[in-house]
Amino acid sequence: MDKSVIIIRAIKYATATLAIEGRVLDEDAQDLIKRQMKGELTEQEFLNAALRRVME
């Protein structure tokens, strides 16, 4: 299976799971996750970016 298909499915799953809880995964968060899954960000870069988003 193509990696891009796996990423899309993972994002859809996460979005649906959060929706059940009444939460939303916005476009910026989705892009951040996609970048990490594609290997564009290290785990530490991803965690730092996610923490910055929470602290805003």
Side-chain angles (χ1 to χ4, degrees), residues 9-23:
R9 286 184 179 179
I11 295 292
K12 285 183 179 183
Y13 178 81
T15 302
T17 301
L18 288 170
I20 290 169
E21 299 174 356
R23 297 179 173 186

Side-chain angles (χ1 to χ4, degrees), residues 8-56:
I8 291 168
R9 286 184 179 179
I11 295 292
K12 285 183 179 183
Y13 178 81
T15 302
T17 301
L18 288 170
I20 290 169
E21 299 174 356
R23 297 179 173 186
V24 177
L25 186 63
D26 64 32
E27 287 293 321
D28 289 338
Q30 290 182 34
D31 289 340
L32 183 62
I33 294 167
K34 287 176 188 176
R35 289 181 60 209
Q36 198 276 332
M37 291 182 76
K38 289 178 180 178
E40 296 172 7
L41 298 172
T42 65
E43 183 176 356
Q44 191 60 52
E45 290 170 329
F46 173 76
L47 293 173
N48 289 341
L51 263 175
R52 279 193 303 273
R53 287 181 48 82
V54 170
M55 300 305 284
E56 292 178 344

